[in-house]
Amino acid sequence: MPDRRQPDPSTDDNPFAAPPEGRPDQPWQPRQPQQPGGGGSGGGPSEPGGPGGPARWDPMDPLQRRARYALLAGMWGFFFGIFGIPSVGLLLGALAMYWGISALRGRPETKADPTTGTPARPGGLDSLGPAARPQRAAAVGGLVTASMALMLAASSYALQLTYKDFFVCRDDALTRTAELQCNNLLPDNVLGDILKVQR
């Protein structure tokens, strides 16, 4: 019988390849990522989740949840303000401001205790370590969009209060002619041209 071919070295990393001749079967185990310096399995600083690796979002952490809620509520509040629903935009903007500020303030700073040797711990998002950067960006983005949503809602309500007579006249008009006469209650400027009833 001719000699069997030696296994190709390029297939040594194939988890589905048959074991070399003479080696007993082994149960399958997931492969550990290799470090850049070679060798090694598990727990190194270069691996995801290690001390030097990228931090993962923890949905159980209230600070991280509030930062994400602030961003989502701020964006939706801004969209509702643009689409002419200022009441919902005002509510979402106020919630986004609350969540964003509480996420940035976060936990109070703990001072070092010389009697027990407990070191000082930073407060707020700084207490999260590497996970603080994306959460801080989300909280700040939520504050920015919440501010814009609140400005849109405030300008909408201010416009309705300033030109209340025009809006009441337009809503109460029974004919097109009466509706057009309500334009006399608007100022003769760009804003009046935008709000006036078109012929």
Side-chain angles (χ1 to χ4, degrees):
M1 196 165 115
D3 292 339
R4 298 183 62 183
R5 295 181 59 189
Q6 294 294 326
D8 187 3
S10 63
T11 62
D12 288 346
D13 289 338
N14 185 357
F16 303 106
E21 188 176 356
R23 182 185 296 176
D25 289 340
Q26 296 177 346
W28 179 85
Q29 295 178 349
R31 280 197 270 172
Q32 300 291 336
Q34 293 185 353
Q35 298 181 6
S41 64
S46 63
E47 297 179 14
R56 299 184 63 181
W57 179 56
D58 182 13
M60 300 302 293
D61 186 0
L63 290 182
Q64 298 186 42
R65 280 202 316 266
R66 288 175 187 168
R68 296 294 175 98
Y69 290 165
L71 182 60
L72 289 173
M75 286 192 311
W76 279 107
F78 176 70
F79 289 142
F80 277 111
I82 286 181
F83 294 136
I85 310 175
S87 57
V88 180
L90 181 64
L91 173 65
L92 291 175
L95 284 173
M97 288 290 281
Y98 168 74
W99 282 325
I101 292 172
S102 62
L104 289 175
R105 291 182 65 188
R107 304 184 185 98
E109 181 179 355
T110 58
K111 297 181 180 179
D113 189 355
T115 58
T116 60
T118 305
R121 288 188 304 170
L125 288 176
D126 292 335
S127 63
L128 299 178
R133 185 175 179 183
Q135 308 312 324
R136 184 178 290 110
V140 171
L143 288 176
V144 171
T145 53
S147 301
M148 296 190 329
L150 291 176
M151 284 193 301
L152 283 173
S155 61
S156 175
Y157 285 127
L159 191 67
Q160 292 179 20
L161 287 174
T162 305
Y163 301 110
K164 180 180 179 181
D165 294 338
F166 165 74
F167 289 111
V168 170
C169 175
R170 189 189 64 179
D171 292 339
D172 292 344
L174 298 178
T175 64
R176 188 69 174 175
T177 305
E179 195 174 359
L180 289 170
Q181 288 178 352
C182 296
N183 291 339
N184 299 329
L185 300 172
L186 291 173
D188 190 13
N189 55 22
V190 178
L191 184 60
D193 292 339
I194 294 173
L195 293 177
K196 72 179 181 180
V197 180
Q198 302 296 327
R199 295 183 182 273

